[in-house]
Amino acid sequence: EDKVVQSPLSLVVHEGDTVTLNCSYEVTNFRSLLWYKQEKKAPTFLFMLTSSGIEKKSGRLSSILDKKELFSILNITATQTGDSAVYLCALGGSNYKLTFGKGTLLTVNP
Amino acid sequence: GAVVSQHPSWVICKSGTSVKIECRSLDFQATTMFWYRQFPKQSLMLMATSNEGSKATYEQGVEKDKFLINHASLTLSTLTVTSAHPEDSSFYICSAGGSSATGELFFGEGSRLTVL
């Protein structure tokens, strides 16, 4: 059974700090690993990773995958209060099925 | 714009009643849709896979007689919470399809159910 473990479960930082969110996984047949940001409603897509060592970057957010060690990290630099959210890591399965981790609740204080 | 529409976005009902939630794919056909449930401060948990024209596939621990799923057309799946109880109060969200280019999955807006 596919498994996704995220850490930490919650994190409180000050604006301007840099944070690293962790995601480790176990999977029988790896297809992809995805990161989502969830505020109040539906998750917002951030990244999909399929290859090791290739950093995906979008503004202050970046992510990388290590398929040998079975983990991924999501980095957020110069955090802002608007980054406060739950960040979800998920394994992508066939037919767009997702297996989510429990998420990391990030709180950015002014 | 949205590619998956979910309705209603919130609903309050009395204990013992049934509630239907709709998930529609807009401008594309979805032979498979997924229903997730999210309790407060918890992650999304897959409830079931909705298959067009056939029975849904339920995850372990999800009561198929309580959470009825119908996927009668290629653009519509419905989730009916039967004889709802307060413990069924949750955020229900569907997904359908995605982008093969970016990997993005298309989620509905979610439905928040409160059972009194």
Side-chain angles (χ1 to χ4, degrees):
Chain A
E1 184 179 328
D2 297 351
K3 186 177 177 182
V4 179
V5 178
Q6 291 186 247
S7 64
L9 292 181
S10 65
L11 186 59
V12 180
V13 299
H14 291 290
E15 269 193 315
D17 288 351
T18 294
V19 297
T20 298
L21 310 183
N22 303 294
C23 175
S24 63
Y25 64 89
E26 296 174 18
V27 65
T28 304
N29 183 20
F30 180 85
R31 292 174 184 266
S32 61
L33 185 142
L34 300 98
W35 284 96
Y36 285 83
K37 176 183 181 182
Q38 186 179 26
E39 295 174 88
K40 293 187 177 179
K41 287 201 171 181
T44 303
F45 175 77
L46 295 176
F47 300 111
M48 182 185 76
L49 303 159
T50 56
S51 301
S52 282
I54 300 175
E55 184 183 52
K56 290 279 184 91
K57 197 170 172 64
S58 176
R60 296 176 293 103
L61 277 67
S62 63
S63 183
I64 198 161
L65 174 69
D66 186 327
K67 290 169 71 174
K68 182 179 178 184
E69 300 298 328
L70 307 182
F71 77 90
S72 174
I73 59 172
L74 175 68
N75 278 322
I76 308 175
T77 59
T79 52
Q80 302 171 357
T81 55
D83 295 327
S84 296
V86 174
Y87 289 85
L88 298 167
C89 174
L91 285 170
S94 59
N95 293 327
Y96 303 107
K97 178 178 178 178
L98 292 178
T99 300
F100 285 94
K102 292 187 175 181
T104 294
L105 173 62
L106 174 65
T107 303
V108 181
N109 290 324
Chain B
V3 294
V4 176
S5 174
Q6 193 171 336
H7 177 81
S9 56
W10 59 270
V11 57
I12 301 173
C13 70
K14 291 182 179 179
S15 187
T17 60
S18 295
V19 174
K20 181 186 285 187
I21 301 169
E22 295 185 348
C23 180
R24 293 182 184 272
S25 58
L26 308 176
D27 300 325
F28 73 99
Q29 295 179 335
T31 55
T32 304
M33 294 184 178
F34 300 97
W35 286 97
Y36 296 86
R37 177 171 56 185
Q38 185 176 36
F39 291 109
K41 299 189 185 297
Q42 295 189 25
S43 190
L44 282 80
M45 297 299 294
L46 180 66
M47 296 176 66
T49 303
S50 176
N51 305 300
E52 187 271 332
S54 64
K55 291 182 179 180
T57 306
Y58 291 83
E59 296 298 302
Q60 192 172 8
V62 178
E63 299 175 58
K64 61 180 181 181
D65 294 329
K66 180 167 185 63
F67 299 99
L68 301 179
I69 291 173
N70 185 287
H71 194 153
S73 79
L74 286 169
T75 60
L76 174 64
S77 174
T78 61
L79 169 68
T80 300
V81 184
T82 62
S83 187
H85 290 285
E87 57 265 31
D88 298 323
S89 298
S90 186
F91 185 63
Y92 294 87
I93 191 166
C94 68
S95 73
S99 167
S100 56
T102 66
E104 177 180 4
L105 272 70
F106 303 137
F107 283 96
E109 301 94 332
S111 301
R112 189 163 299 282
L113 170 64
T114 300
V115 184
L116 302 176

